[in-house]
Amino acid sequence: MKSFIKKFAAIASAASMMAAAMPVTAQVTAADTVFPFVIEGEDMEGADLWTSIYENQIPDYSGEGFAYLTNGALTFNVTVPEDGMYQLNVRGAQILSEEGRMQTVAINGVEYSKTVPYYKEWTDIDFGVVRMKAGENEISFINKYGYMAIDKVTVTKAVFPDVSATASAVPCDPDATAETKSLMSYLQSVYGKHIISGQQEIYGGGHSVETTIRYDASQDKCIDSDGKEYVIDRDSEAVDKDGNKFYWHCSDDVRTYTYNEQNRNYKYDYYDQEFDYCAELSGGKYPAVRGFDFMNYNPLYGWEDGTTQRVIEWVKERNGIATACWHINIPTDFASYELGDAVDWTKCTYKNGTDFVVANAYKEGTKENAYFDMCIEDLAEQFAILQENNVPLLWRPFHEAEGNGGADGKGAWFWWSQEGAEVYKNLWNYLYDKLTNEYGIHNLIWEQNLYAWSDESALWYVGDDKADIVGFDKYDTVYNRHDGLTSGPNYDCNSNVYWSLYNYTKGNKMIGIMENSTIPSVSNITTEQATWLYFCTWYDNGQDNFISGDNYNDASAVKEMYESELCITLDELPEDLYTANGTSQPSTKPSETPTDKPSVGADVLGDANCDGEVTMADAAAIYQALGNADKYALSEQGAANADCCNPGDGVTAADALAVQKLTAKLISKLPELTK
């Protein structure tokens, strides 16, 4: 796994050093707050004593009464020995609005907000995990919207679960290809320990570079100003408005060039601009994940921009990981659109507010359904090409589901969400069924974009059986940051969103940053323990230069991330990324060839699939058995072999992790004893 072993060892070493230093750096002094810390609402600074809210009685309060957040802030202080994360809970009530009311707490002036539902009785309200700095910290409930009754507040040290132990490595598609399963296993093996680097490429036609190549009709050659000749794509012959013959495409060993009718020369699209930028900053380290978009394969103005081929090249030639979104367009005026007609791209949209009835898209016999089926057919054609080339894809349709918030879809940014969460989920299920069951597409890892605005946000989740990974699009502004600054890049790691998504899926799914402006900083991720699976910075467009613009990402911060022990880059992906779970595994090096290979079915600790070897496939077999025992049950011998971490406690996720550690040479033998 190349430098993964180096990284794991470095983290372990750092953890040991921190542990050794703890008695000195984290020694509790008289000034330090003892946790759990509980304060009665009426004891907070700025609080008045309430025993009822006017004529409304809320009995069974603790202490002498409670505080009611009206005009001023309610404040108290705690002192902590080092930067860290703390859980904030309120025993409260909210009787002003049955629709819920936004409440805000500020930690040293940094604000965290959530919508508190209507509670007419005292209820434990989770205000999330917040960050505090070493020393004294001021916690204030601010009356931005307010009118919340607070009986008492409890602050505890945050306890983080082992996310890798619960997140599934089993694709939701039971017929997923071997390569897809292998990629899922790898992602799960690094989840919770590292963050994988990623970068979105620009849409087709972006970053155009003009050349001196021209078509010389007299010689029937494509040739540049230096006399270099290029190979003509004879199938791309065309005639310009003056009747002159030309060819749309020519090429050399480096790339394909496209004819520019205006200047009568050839140009090319520099899709690697952002990727080369990252590599130049970090001594040649490229992003491991490359983002694509299949928007241009559509029934309206669809054109071949080479996306499918670039996905294949990235995975097959560069050994990278591919992810893709789908800005699928619909006609702006759908009512007057005739099915099958070509439409200028300026008369299309993926935004919300159109006359396209989303609920009809999955209802047979409707015009919307006929159109949407055409979209899926175009998409399936491209995915079939990927599947034939053994290329799996992190597939992210209908992204940014909730938009600005609300289950009714009023906050939607895109047409697929404009009719609310239930219609959105039905649309997702329809797409899933069509691709997997009708078109036989099984090379997809299904990703869903979610938010965490309120308790309603969880209503958008499509469910464990239709999603493999969930994630968040991080476009932070000065109004959504937790560093106390009002300008410059926002390196927030959004740990409150991370743990909300964790709760939506009960920890069953890996969680990633599927789009971002500013990359979260190494220090913030480490301190806040928001162990995102990967990030994927959006591309530069000349106006918003998300990766190279210093208002979004300072070059030194990008360099620090790419060169850090936390971050996995392209060169650090394992060579068997797509074969570790299949039958065509790469041959072992001579020095690693076992001399006494056990027979198939033998008693070999860790060999869950009983093939005589302990590999990543055994870890996947254990996860599959834990995730769906009816379909993926281990044999009696396999179950005995699988119990390789603390033998005797049965088959658990810890056994799969032990197998992964062994294959990565993080431990030398099994069993692993942790108790």
Side-chain angles (χ1 to χ4, degrees), residues 506-554:
K506 298 179 175 60
N508 292 332
K509 302 297 177 180
M510 294 176 277
I511 308 167
I513 299 177
M514 295 167 177
E515 291 182 24
N516 60 274
S517 52
T518 308
I519 302 169
S521 70
V522 174
S523 62
N524 283 342
I525 292 174
T526 303
T527 299
E528 299 190 23
Q529 298 187 51
T531 49
W532 300 97
L533 174 63
Y534 73 93
F535 64 83
C536 191
T537 312
W538 205 244
Y539 59 81
D540 291 352
N541 61 22
Q543 182 176 4
D544 288 311
N545 293 328
F546 289 108
I547 184 63
S548 68
D550 57 12
N551 56 325
Y552 289 111
N553 283 289
D554 185 87

Side-chain angles (χ1 to χ4, degrees), residues 3-15:
S3 64
F4 173 59
I5 299 173
K6 171 197 70 175
K7 293 186 174 189
F8 195 102
I11 291 175
S13 175

Side-chain angles (χ1 to χ4, degrees), residues 60-71:
D60 300 324
Y61 48 76
S62 63
E64 299 178 3
F66 57 88
Y68 194 48
L69 186 59
T70 54
N71 294 322

Side-chain angles (χ1 to χ4, degrees), residues 326-563:
W326 194 32
H327 283 91
I328 185 61
N329 277 257
I330 56 176
T332 306
D333 181 6
F334 188 74
S336 62
Y337 171 69
E338 295 293 331
L339 289 172
D341 282 359
V343 177
D344 185 271
W345 69 270
T346 60
K347 298 180 180 179
C348 308
T349 186
Y350 49 78
K351 299 296 180 66
N352 67 343
T354 70
D355 61 344
F356 186 93
V357 180
V358 184
N360 284 344
Y362 49 83
K363 293 179 181 178
E364 188 175 352
T366 65
K367 180 180 174 183
E368 286 88 348
N369 178 248
Y371 174 76
F372 191 51
D373 279 354
M374 293 166 60
C375 297
I376 298 174
E377 182 180 10
D378 287 346
L379 185 66
E381 180 182 359
Q382 302 307 314
F383 285 177
I385 295 172
L386 297 181
Q387 187 164 276
E388 290 166 3
N389 284 273
N390 302 317
V391 171
L393 179 70
L394 304 182
W395 170 230
R396 186 169 62 101
F398 309 140
H399 63 287
E400 298 175 359
E402 190 180 5
N404 278 331
D408 57 8
K410 291 181 179 178
W413 298 320
F414 303 112
W415 66 261
W416 46 79
S417 302
Q418 66 186 11
E419 292 175 25
E422 289 306 310
V423 171
Y424 170 91
K425 288 187 286 190
N426 289 338
L427 188 71
W428 181 288
N429 290 338
Y430 184 81
L431 176 66
Y432 180 94
D433 181 66
K434 292 281 284 189
L435 287 177
T436 57
N437 298 324
E438 181 174 329
Y439 287 102
I441 303 299
H442 301 295
N443 60 329
L444 304 178
I445 292 173
W446 289 76
E447 297 187 310
Q448 189 189 12
N449 247 150
L450 298 169
Y451 285 94
W453 301 117
S454 69
D455 291 343
E456 285 190 339
S457 298
L459 299 176
W460 292 84
Y461 180 47
V462 295
D464 288 359
D465 62 335
K466 293 295 192 302
D468 295 306
I469 298 172
V470 297
F472 165 67
D473 282 4
K474 176 189 182 297
Y475 289 97
D476 297 310
T477 68
V478 295
Y479 306 107
N480 181 29
R481 63 192 306 161
H482 301 111
D483 57 7
L485 302 178
T486 57
S487 62
N490 184 349
Y491 297 111
D492 196 336
C493 73
N494 302 89
S495 56
N496 56 329
V497 177
Y498 179 90
W499 294 111
S500 293
L501 300 188
Y502 178 90
N503 291 333
Y504 294 171
T505 67
K506 298 179 175 60
N508 292 332
K509 302 297 177 180
M510 294 176 277
I511 308 167
I513 299 177
M514 295 167 177
E515 291 182 24
N516 60 274
S517 52
T518 308
I519 302 169
S521 70
V522 174
S523 62
N524 283 342
I525 292 174
T526 303
T527 299
E528 299 190 23
Q529 298 187 51
T531 49
W532 300 97
L533 174 63
Y534 73 93
F535 64 83
C536 191
T537 312
W538 205 244
Y539 59 81
D540 291 352
N541 61 22
Q543 182 176 4
D544 288 311
N545 293 328
F546 289 108
I547 184 63
S548 68
D550 57 12
N551 56 325
Y552 289 111
N553 283 289
D554 185 87
S556 62
V558 177
K559 175 181 172 66
E560 179 188 21
M561 172 58 75
Y562 272 72
E563 294 181 349

Side-chain angles (χ1 to χ4, degrees), residues 112-407:
Y112 299 81
S113 297
K114 72 168 293 172
T115 298
V116 173
Y118 181 80
Y119 293 132
K120 63 181 181 180
E121 298 176 346
W122 296 116
T123 304
D124 289 328
I125 305 169
D126 181 359
F127 266 79
V129 177
V130 298
R131 182 170 177 173
M132 297 190 199
K133 61 180 176 64
E136 190 173 56
N137 295 265
E138 181 183 81
I139 301 176
S140 296
F141 290 91
I142 301 171
N143 184 29
K144 282 196 165 183
Y145 298 93
Y147 299 99
M148 174 178 64
I150 301 178
D151 181 32
K152 61 182 179 180
V153 181
T154 302
V155 184
T156 57
K157 292 182 178 180
V159 177
F160 297 102
D162 179 1
V163 296
S164 64
T166 57
S168 175
V170 181
C172 62
D173 178 3
D175 297 318
T177 65
E179 295 81 15
T180 305
K181 293 177 181 177
S182 184
L183 177 56
M184 274 289 287
S185 293
Y186 170 75
L187 295 176
Q188 197 277 339
S189 74
V190 299
Y191 179 55
K193 309 173 186 69
H194 300 287
I195 188 167
I196 306 173
S197 57
Q199 176 65 52
Q200 181 79 18
E201 70 165 34
I202 198 166
Y203 295 158
H207 295 334
S208 292
V209 178
E210 301 289 337
T211 74
T212 62
I213 306 170
R214 293 184 177 274
Y215 174 65
D216 185 337
S218 64
Q219 301 183 69
D220 191 28
K221 293 180 179 179
C222 281
I223 193 168
D224 65 19
S225 59
D226 294 327
K228 177 181 175 180
E229 187 175 343
Y230 296 78
V231 177
I232 295 174
D233 177 3
R234 297 293 176 179
D235 292 333
S236 67
E237 181 178 340
V239 177
D240 65 20
K241 61 183 180 180
D242 298 322
N244 299 311
K245 183 179 75 172
F246 70 94
Y247 293 90
W248 279 114
H249 301 294
C250 66
S251 63
D252 59 12
D253 294 336
V254 178
R255 60 177 59 91
T256 297
Y257 304 85
T258 301
Y259 189 72
N260 184 336
E261 288 186 273
Q262 181 177 359
N263 297 329
R264 296 186 179 183
N265 67 331
Y266 286 82
K267 62 181 181 178
Y268 66 92
D269 297 315
Y270 185 21
Y271 290 109
D272 287 332
Q273 176 175 302
E274 293 85 355
F275 299 83
D276 289 344
Y277 172 81
C278 293
E280 289 168 4
L281 285 179
S282 59
K285 291 184 173 294
Y286 282 89
V289 175
R290 186 171 184 132
F292 300 87
D293 197 320
F294 281 86
M295 67 179 299
N296 288 321
Y297 301 102
N298 67 70
L300 302 176
Y301 60 88
W303 60 291
E304 174 57 75
D305 67 346
T307 297
T308 303
Q309 186 56 41
R310 290 197 301 280
V311 172
I312 294 172
E313 291 172 354
W314 183 253
V315 172
K316 302 288 282 187
E317 298 179 14
R318 304 287 295 276
N319 195 43
I321 299 170
T323 183
C325 58
W326 194 32
H327 283 91
I328 185 61
N329 277 257
I330 56 176
T332 306
D333 181 6
F334 188 74
S336 62
Y337 171 69
E338 295 293 331
L339 289 172
D341 282 359
V343 177
D344 185 271
W345 69 270
T346 60
K347 298 180 180 179
C348 308
T349 186
Y350 49 78
K351 299 296 180 66
N352 67 343
T354 70
D355 61 344
F356 186 93
V357 180
V358 184
N360 284 344
Y362 49 83
K363 293 179 181 178
E364 188 175 352
T366 65
K367 180 180 174 183
E368 286 88 348
N369 178 248
Y371 174 76
F372 191 51
D373 279 354
M374 293 166 60
C375 297
I376 298 174
E377 182 180 10
D378 287 346
L379 185 66
E381 180 182 359
Q382 302 307 314
F383 285 177
I385 295 172
L386 297 181
Q387 187 164 276
E388 290 166 3
N389 284 273
N390 302 317
V391 171
L393 179 70
L394 304 182
W395 170 230
R396 186 169 62 101
F398 309 140
H399 63 287
E400 298 175 359
E402 190 180 5
N404 278 331

